[in-house]
Amino acid sequence: LSRARKAMKLTKPGPTWRKPVSQSRRKSRKAHFQSDSTARRIIMSAPLSSELREKYNVRSLPVRKEDEVEVVRGVHKGKTGKILTCYRKKFVVHIDRITRDKCNGAPVPVGIHPSKVRIVKIKMHKDRKQILERKDRSTVKGKGKYKESDMADVD
């Protein structure tokens, strides 16, 4: 699957635009669980809070260590905390103060899937700023072939 993607060129319209994507449950699960770390980063994205969504005009971001998140589903719903680790191998994040006790009394972090959390505060740095600027929906650049001003002269 990855070899086919690398060889594919998306420069000219035509049959090369058809991506090798299967609708088979079996193949999509295989692709999901055998995905590499960079693909898992994108899979492990979380939606932004409504305040951040209005501020940056971005719907979701890949989670990162030290992002502040709020759990929106499950037993720990409503709890907030910073992300301690992004466990890409297991598709979970560990959040501080969300733990359970082992039988010997030692606390263990509970793994929560990033789609079940909401980012409340972003750990900002240079790369994150570039991602937010690129994903900003308010500045859609050059969508479509014609502009309204061009179409006004047609009649």
Side-chain angles (χ1 to χ4, degrees):
L1 189 68
S2 61
R3 251 193 321 244
R5 281 194 191 138
K6 287 179 185 173
M8 189 163 295
K9 294 179 182 176
L10 299 175
T11 54
K12 296 178 184 175
T16 55
W17 278 20
R18 293 192 206 110
K19 292 183 181 178
V21 177
S22 173
Q23 294 205 343
S24 166
R25 173 178 162 83
R26 177 183 181 183
K27 289 180 182 178
S28 65
R29 283 178 58 82
K30 182 181 180 186
H32 176 80
F33 291 111
Q34 289 187 347
S35 57
D36 59 333
S37 184
T38 53
R40 286 178 187 229
R41 177 180 165 272
I42 303 302
I43 293 169
M44 292 178 65
S45 293
L48 298 180
S49 67
S50 54
E51 298 87 38
L52 291 175
R53 196 178 290 185
E54 284 179 21
K55 184 178 178 183
Y56 296 111
N57 294 306
V58 175
R59 193 171 182 84
S60 64
L61 273 179
V63 291
R64 182 197 190 283
K65 186 178 176 180
E66 295 182 22
D67 276 349
E68 206 165 300
V69 295
E70 175 191 6
V71 181
V72 293
R73 289 283 182 274
V75 180
H76 304 287
K77 182 177 182 176
K79 294 183 182 177
T80 59
K82 279 191 177 180
I83 294 178
L84 299 174
T85 54
C86 290
Y87 205 152
R88 287 188 191 171
K89 187 174 182 181
K90 291 187 176 181
F91 292 102
V92 295
V93 292
H94 294 148
I95 303 167
D96 67 333
R97 297 192 303 271
I98 298 181
T99 58
R100 63 184 296 258
D101 294 331
K102 294 202 306 190
C103 58
N104 65 0
V108 178
V110 175
I112 297 173
H113 195 275
S115 66
K116 306 304 176 202
V117 301
R118 182 185 304 134
I119 298 174
V120 178
K121 188 178 177 189
I122 300 172
K123 165 81 168 142
M124 193 59 76
H125 54 83
K126 183 183 72 171
D127 297 332
R128 271 281 178 85
K129 280 184 181 173
Q130 286 179 344
I131 291 168
L132 288 169
E133 287 170 10
R134 180 172 44 86
K135 290 183 83 173
D136 190 352
R137 290 180 165 186
S138 65
T139 58
V140 178
K141 301 165 195 87
K143 276 276 187 178
K145 209 172 191 180
Y146 304 107
K147 294 184 175 62
E148 283 187 37
S149 57
D150 297 337
M151 296 307 290
D153 301 334
V154 173
D155 292 337

